[in-house]
Amino acid sequence: MSADGFSNGPPPGARADWTIDQDWEGYSQAEHDVWITLYERQAKLLPGRAADPFLKGLEALDLHRAGIPDFGRINEELTRLTGWSVVAVPGLVPDDVFFDHLANRRFPAGQFIRKPEELDYLQEPDIFHDVFGHVPMLTDPTFADYMQAYGEGGRRALGLGRLHNLARLYWYTVEFGLLETPQGLRIYGAGIVSSHAESIFALDDPSPNRLGFDLVRVMRTPYRIDDFQQVYFVVPSLQSLLDATLQDFAPIYTAVETAPDVAIDAVLPTDRVFTRGAQTYARNGGRSATVRPQ
Ligand code: HBI
Ligand code: FE
């Protein structure tokens, strides 16, 4: 098993880069119905909660309500807009494979969809999390550049043994990031926007901290993989996110190396505070540890 827990090669039937055919014709109506249920629920909830670039991307790609979208159809528009394409993979792929895809403007999306009894529970990102959650933002040119820069940074981080710091950057932006707008905070993180419960919790609940994004601060902050986040970081613009990644990370890693992690529920005197959370949710044990809101 290699360092990140994968057997050395791609699974049977997958290509060397771990991609597989989506086989869109192979989806059953029951699988399309799960997509429709999840899509309808979020489409009703997200106006006024999701950031404009996300809502614009959803429209542009017409992730239509009629079921699981065909990657071939999505890619015609997505590639025209920002040069990105969605490729099907069996599930999580090794970090180096993941970064190589991102660095080449390919987003690896799980080909499978969750079962009807798993609507709010997911062990591993499925096609709804990956395509509904991540892909609409890839239609935004600035975010599209950020994701490619992240992929290139990931390859370097692997070489420097700094993956865990970079994974935190991904987690608190791409997965659970919030955007500051004149109308208030809006969601751009895929992990939030693809989760009905967390789309509400992340903006409305008094429990979590909501703090201004700072690259070193984020890299020093651990995260939860089994429950709602205890802290969300807010960027003033997508451009500021891209600018943060276009600098040389070596001095950043040095700064992070000597600084201890920040407690997940801490607010530092240097933090820009949007919400000083009560942490009530986490202190009451959150959800059962086996449930990961998606
Ligand atoms: N693989 N398919 C897939 N999707 C991901 O989001 C993903 C992955 N492999 C690794 C990974 N994410 C994380 O470790 C990154 O933060 C590096
Ligand atoms: Fe994700």
Side-chain angles (χ1 to χ4, degrees), residues 4 6 87 89-99 101-102 107-110 124-125 129-130 134 150 154 158 163 166-171 174-175 223:
D4 49 11
F6 286 90
V87 291
V89 289
L92 289 175
V93 303
D95 293 337
D96 60 328
V97 173
F98 183 65
F99 292 129
H101 280 303
L102 297 189
F107 190 81
E124 186 169 337
H129 169 90
D130 279 332
H134 282 283
Y150 180 87
L158 275 176
L163 176 65
L166 209 80
R168 289 171 173 178
L169 173 63
Y170 188 84
W171 194 267
V174 179
E175 292 295 356
Y223 53 81

Side-chain angles (χ1 to χ4, degrees), residues 146 165-166 168-173 177-178 180 188 210-222 231-237 240-241 243-245 247 249 251-253 255-256 259-260 262 268-274:
Y146 170 65
N165 297 119
L166 209 80
R168 289 171 173 178
L169 173 63
Y170 188 84
W171 194 267
Y172 281 122
T173 58
L178 297 180
E180 186 180 5
Y188 71 91
R210 297 177 184 90
L211 307 175
F213 172 86
D214 169 88
L215 188 58
V216 172
R217 174 70 164 83
V218 163
M219 286 192 169
R220 292 174 56 199
T221 308
V231 55
Y232 295 96
F233 287 94
V234 181
V235 291
S237 68
S240 67
L241 200 49
D243 294 344
T245 51
Q247 59 187 304
F249 272 27
I252 303 276
Y253 290 141
V256 169
V262 179
L268 302 183
T270 46
D271 284 332
R272 181 177 172 214
V273 181
F274 290 82

Side-chain angles (χ1 to χ4, degrees), residues 59-129:
E59 278 310 306
L61 298 179
D62 184 23
L63 293 187
H64 50 73
R65 306 160 190 266
I68 296 172
D70 181 341
F71 290 179
R73 185 185 61 75
I74 301 181
N75 287 338
E76 277 163 30
E77 182 64 9
L78 180 61
T79 305
R80 190 184 65 76
L81 287 170
T82 58
W84 274 84
S85 62
V86 195
V87 291
V89 289
L92 289 175
V93 303
D95 293 337
D96 60 328
V97 173
F98 183 65
F99 292 129
D100 191 59
H101 280 303
L102 297 189
N104 289 285
R105 297 205 173 215
R106 292 188 300 266
F107 190 81
Q111 186 269 349
F112 70 100
I113 193 158
R114 67 194 76 176
K115 301 274 177 288
E117 62 275 12
E118 291 179 317
L119 283 190
D120 289 314
Y121 165 97
L122 212 56
Q123 195 59 38
E124 186 169 337
D126 71 338
I127 194 166
F128 187 78
H129 169 90

